[in-house]
Amino acid sequence: MNNLPSPPEMKQVEKLLLEAEHPVALTGAGVSVASGIPAFRGAQGLWDRYDPLEYASIQAFKADPVKVWGMLLELRQIIARAKPNPAHYALADLERMGRLKAVITQNVDNLHQEAGSGQVIEFHGNGSSLVCLDCGRSRPRDEVDFEVIPPRCGCGGLLKPGVVFFGEAIPQEACERALAAVERSDLMLVVGTSALVVPASLMPRLAARNGARVVEINPEPTGLTRGLAELSLLGQAEDILPVLAQGVRFGLSQRRR
Ligand code: OAD
C-alpha cells in the first residue's frame, strides 16, 4: 500500500525538518512491521498471541523462564531474518543530512543501526546480549548455549536477554541520553508507536513541554494525535519517511544554490 498524506501536509513536515535545530525521532514497533516483525498491539500483534502479563513482565520471566524463553526464541528467529526497510533507511538518511540528531527507539531489533543510523538510543535495551539475574554479568548472545532452556550463567543464575521487561527500569545510560536529546529537541517525529507504554510515551509530552513541535507518523490515530501532535501524518512509515527524506534533500540542495 502506498497511501501518502496530502502534499501540503508532507511539505509542512519537510519544512519543519529543514528548519529545526535539533530534530529527534521516537520510534516503535510500527517502524519494523514492513521488515516482517509484528507489532505488539493491534490485529496480528504479538500481545494477541501472548498475554503480556504472562510473558512480558520480569515476574513472569522468573516464575516460568522456560515458557517465556519459548516466546523470546520465536521472536529472535523473526528478528534474525529481518532486514531494514525504507523507513529505517530514510531515518538514517535524515541523520546523514544533519536533519536528525537522534533516534530514541523502543525496538530491540537493531534495524536502525543496520540501516546506518549512528545516534540510536535503545530505550528498551537490546537482545544482542544476555545478563545473569544472579551475578549481573553480561555476555554476547552468540557465546550462549541454547541447547538447554532456560540458558544459565556459569554461576548457575538465570540468563535473561538485555531487553527491558515490564517491571524493570530503563537502562540508565539510555534514559540519560534520551532525556538529554529530548531536552534539546525542537522537533520530535513520533513514528510507529502506540505511545501507550511509559516512560517512553512521556518523551513526546516532555518534548512538547520544552517547546518542541511534535509530528506523528502512524496509520492509526493514537493518544497523541489529538492534542499533542501538531501534525499527524496518517500512513505507513515506510511510505512516508522516504518521501520526506527526498523532500528534505531537495530543500537542502536548493539552499546551497
Ligand atoms: P505497539 O505495537 O504498541 O504499537 C505499534 C504502532 O505502530 C501502532 O500504533 C500501529 O498503528 C503502528 N503501525 C503499524 N504499522 C505501521 C507502519 N507500517 N508504519 C508506521 N506505524 C505503524 O508498539 P510500541 O508502541 O513500540 O515494550 O510498543 C511499546 C512497547 O510495548 C514495546 O517496546 C514493548 C511493548 O510491550 C516492552 O516489552 C517493555
Side-chain angles (χ1 to χ4, degrees):
M1 203 168 50
N2 202 335
N3 280 335
L4 286 175
S6 72
E9 285 177 303
M10 295 290 283
K11 279 269 160 274
Q12 229 175 317
V13 179
E14 265 169 47
K15 190 162 174 281
L16 289 177
L17 276 165
L18 282 163
E19 287 171 358
E21 301 239 322
H22 203 90
V24 302
L26 171 71
T27 66
V31 170
S32 295
V33 166
S35 296
I37 304 174
F40 295 95
R41 296 170 184 80
Q44 278 128 45
L46 199 69
W47 297 156
D48 231 22
R49 291 177 47 219
Y50 294 105
D51 180 349
L53 284 177
E54 278 180 48
Y55 286 89
S57 73
I58 187 66
Q59 293 84 351
F61 179 75
K62 286 177 181 167
D64 196 342
V66 175
K67 180 165 104 173
V68 176
W69 264 112
M71 177 202 69
L72 291 169
L73 290 175
E74 182 189 325
L75 194 58
R76 184 45 45 185
Q77 273 189 350
I78 297 173
I79 290 177
R81 282 195 299 265
K83 297 274 171 278
N85 69 60
H88 298 107
Y89 288 117
L91 289 171
D93 272 354
L94 285 170
E95 181 183 318
R96 271 192 292 273
M97 288 184 253
R99 300 291 77 221
L100 200 59
K101 302 297 182 190
V103 177
I104 304 165
T105 189
Q106 297 162 85
N107 301 343
V108 298
D109 55 25
N110 207 44
L111 293 181
H112 285 303
Q113 292 92 328
E114 276 183 46
S117 285
Q119 294 301 317
V120 182
I121 302 169
E122 293 178 307
F123 208 71
H124 289 166
N126 72 65
S128 61
S129 62
L130 271 67
V131 61
C132 173
L133 288 184
D134 281 358
C135 71
R137 243 185 84 200
S138 167
R139 75 204 55 215
R141 173 178 195 93
D142 305 342
E143 291 177 10
V144 173
D145 179 7
F146 287 96
E147 283 297 308
V148 180
I149 299 295
R152 292 203 174 263
C153 177
C155 81
L158 201 54
L159 285 173
K160 174 194 103 68
V163 301
V164 174
F165 280 59
F166 288 116
E168 288 191 301
I170 303 302
Q172 192 181 344
E173 196 205 337
C175 195
E176 286 171 3
R177 283 179 68 204
L179 286 173
V182 169
E183 218 156 82
R184 290 186 67 192
S185 79
D186 53 354
L187 173 65
M188 177 178 273
L189 300 183
V190 183
V191 193
T193 174
S194 58
L196 286 171
V197 174
V198 288
S201 61
L202 300 178
M203 298 297 135
R205 292 171 175 92
L206 268 180
R209 207 174 63 188
N210 286 344
R213 309 174 93 162
V214 175
V215 172
E216 186 177 43
I217 302 176
N218 197 311
E220 306 282 342
T222 74
L224 305 179
T225 313
R226 278 174 194 271
L228 197 80
E230 172 172 341
L231 266 163
S232 185
L233 301 181
L234 280 181
Q236 337 246 150
E238 63 275 18
D239 296 336
I240 293 175
L241 281 168
V243 178
L244 285 179
Q246 202 181 8
V248 168
R249 179 172 291 109
F250 180 73
L252 289 173
S253 71
Q254 292 299 98
R255 273 189 191 169
R256 285 194 287 270
R257 297 178 111 211

